[in-house]
Amino acid sequence: MSLPFAARRAALSRLTGAPVLLVNNGERSRNLPMNRLPFRSDSSFLYFTGCTQPCAAAIIEEGACTLFLEAPAPDDALWHGSQPSLAEQAAAVGAERVASLEDLEAACKKHANLLSLSVPDPEMTALASRLSGQALAYPGKNPDKLVDAIIQLRRRRDDWDVAEQRKAAVVTTKAHLAAMRATRVGGHERQLAALFDGVIAAEGATCGYQSIVTVRGEVLHNHHYIHPLQAGDLLLLDGGAEVASGYSSDVTRTWPVNGRFDLRQRAMYALCLEAQKWGIEQVRPGTRYRDIHFGCMKIIASGLRSEGLLRCDAEEAVETGAVGLFFPHGVGHLLGLDVHDLENFGDRPAYAPGRKRPTQFGARYLRMDLDLEPGIVLTIEPGIYFVPAILHDPTLRAEHLERVDFEKAESFLGFGGIRIEDDVLVTEAAPEVLTAAIPKEIDALEAVIGAGLSAEERFFA
Ligand code: GLY
Ligand code: MN
Ligand code: MN
């Protein structure tokens, strides 16, 4: 497949009708100048240029791109090996022209109406502001016309993007399977985290976000790996590979450390899985994403009522937000070059005009409310959690005293959390689950948990 960048630039110029200055991030120090954090290009810069050079810039005019690159320092070859020439770097990504970064300011001065964009790196955002004469800030302060064009293009995938997203899913599948097979009572979260991240690295990819590998899955974005794995624990692993093009997966699986769900875990897991599979089935053109969220909530509410955790019927539990005490986040989000794709532009990419976030606890974290169209990639990730901070919250307790059996809910403290998350492509017909090869049915999971060498054996034997 040929590189997509020239066609993307042509579309950008058509949509904006103006020259565009894009800047990349620079490198950041970790603790001293020579010791740097891993570098990641800004996603929009990457999308239109394919260039992964720190501090690079591009002027895109009538579809053609001039790439401005830092010339290698004289001693770069000594410390970093021989460097490709600027012309070779531009040719590798199909940029029409190349120049030295020193020429960027003079080139910008030739344009009166440059549109430009903020990036995570504050110094490069300041440069883009100065050269374009606009007050940009990251995240969110950008010209609407440029943001709308970027959203329109990045939100809908072409075949090239989908192929890249599939590559990320293949690596993610290997990493999840490795962690499942290596799980043992007596192991440790940090060993599984190292194995998961290590498989991704061994495949030449990086983690799209910090992997969540925890038996305290009720902490939604738990980034500590401090717990030993004990019989009776549920392990929640939310992790995804990002391939060289920048596309990422975002997948969660939850499984029992000792390889068999107990009765209570089985009931809650089956309920979460029922909601997730129903949600995926709804991923079709024209479906309103918010309806998937509330539909999943209703399924979970109905199951929690059967388990005696809710006292009211499912409709009331959804309407009043009572079920949000157990499912306190949105059902998913856009996925692509960023794990929450385009979220640096606020709600504009993921909320259709005129739609606002719900205000209710739980539903207010819904990151998306679009009518689905073919080419969108999104996640479906319902969860069920027993969160002390929620169940002990005096305001939520008072509000839902009649609807929630708090005594019963308290008996679940320590249970942890379940989330099941897949990456789904909206097609003209049935949804395509890009991450379908990662086991999630109870039998399939139980067959694979602990079926290989333990993480400890893999590392140290
Ligand atoms: N991995 C973060 C999320 O699922 O949204
Ligand atoms: Mn997600
Ligand atoms: Mn996730």
Side-chain angles (χ1 to χ4, degrees), residues 17-38:
V20 174
L21 165 67
L22 294 177
V23 298
N24 202 359
N25 290 314
E27 290 195 288
R28 311 297 297 169
S29 290
R30 180 172 177 271
N31 52 344
L32 72 165
M34 60 71 64
N35 193 12
R36 290 161 178 175
L37 291 166

Side-chain angles (χ1 to χ4, degrees), residues 209 238 250-252 332-333 339-340 379 381 419 421:
Y209 52 97
D238 181 348
D250 179 10
V251 175
T252 309
H333 49 83
V339 63
H340 292 172
T379 68
E381 50 176 307
R419 180 161 66 254
E421 172 175 30

Side-chain angles (χ1 to χ4, degrees), residues 96-382:
E96 287 76 11
R97 291 184 285 271
V98 68
S100 164
L101 198 58
E102 290 171 2
D103 301 328
L104 179 63
E105 181 147 4
C108 289
K109 284 197 175 127
K110 293 187 188 142
H111 300 283
N113 55 341
L114 264 183
L115 295 172
S116 194
L117 200 67
S118 61
V119 294
D121 182 323
E123 284 166 35
M124 293 304 284
T125 296
L127 178 70
S129 291
R130 186 169 65 76
L131 296 181
S132 67
Q134 295 157 348
L136 307 171
Y138 187 89
K141 197 163 170 206
N142 290 298
D144 286 347
K145 192 198 236 184
L146 180 55
V147 168
D148 286 344
I150 291 173
I151 290 170
Q152 191 175 327
L153 295 170
R154 278 181 55 188
R155 203 164 60 188
R156 203 174 165 135
R157 298 307 148 66
D158 58 22
D159 292 347
W160 194 88
D161 306 318
V162 172
E164 292 298 308
Q165 200 104 51
R166 283 203 180 96
K167 285 186 205 166
V170 168
V171 178
T172 303
T173 301
K174 289 186 184 175
H176 270 271
L177 281 169
M180 287 171 182
R181 291 189 181 117
T183 300
R184 290 288 195 294
V185 171
H188 201 282
E189 288 172 352
R190 63 178 174 245
Q191 293 173 348
L192 290 185
L195 182 62
F196 183 85
D197 292 0
V199 170
I200 289 174
E203 289 289 315
T206 55
C207 295
Y209 52 97
Q210 193 178 338
S211 308
I212 297 166
V213 186
T214 183
V215 294
R216 297 272 53 90
E218 76 278 12
V219 180
L220 298 181
H221 284 171
N222 193 340
H223 289 137
H224 302 291
Y225 312 125
I226 54 173
H227 299 109
L229 308 181
Q230 296 176 322
D233 284 342
L234 277 178
L235 184 91
L236 184 151
L237 199 162
D238 181 348
E242 177 184 303
V243 289
S245 58
Y247 286 93
S248 181
S249 291
D250 179 10
V251 175
T252 309
R253 293 291 185 264
T254 309
W255 63 84
V257 161
N258 59 358
R260 291 278 173 272
F261 288 92
D262 68 24
L263 281 179
R264 206 166 67 157
Q265 290 169 342
R266 184 174 290 259
M268 290 298 150
Y269 187 90
L271 178 57
C272 189
L273 186 60
E274 180 192 346
Q276 203 244 6
K277 285 160 69 175
W278 178 86
I280 289 173
E281 257 317 294
Q282 313 312 306
V283 176
R284 288 165 193 270
T287 300
R288 184 173 177 178
Y289 190 70
R290 196 182 74 164
D291 294 341
I292 304 181
H293 175 77
F294 284 115
C296 285
M297 285 198 110
K298 193 165 163 191
I299 291 171
I300 289 173
S302 158
L304 293 181
R305 182 182 160 95
S306 305
E307 294 295 322
L309 286 151
L310 287 173
R311 295 194 179 110
C312 61
D313 64 24
E315 280 81 12
E316 186 181 339
V318 172
E319 243 162 62
T320 59
V323 64
L325 274 57
F326 304 97
F327 174 17
H329 60 75
V331 80
H333 49 83
L334 293 167
L335 174 71
L337 288 169
D338 298 315
V339 63
H340 292 172
D341 207 28
L342 296 157
E343 205 170 78
N344 55 307
F345 299 122
D347 279 347
R348 201 176 177 97
Y351 269 74
R355 293 182 186 168
K356 294 254 176 302
R357 282 194 182 227
T359 51
Q360 218 166 44
F361 177 76
R364 78 166 79 116
Y365 302 113
L366 180 61
R367 298 177 194 273
M368 175 171 168
D369 187 9
L370 293 173
D371 294 335
L372 301 184
E373 294 170 22
I376 287 180
V377 175
L378 50 79
T379 68
I380 296 290
E381 50 176 307

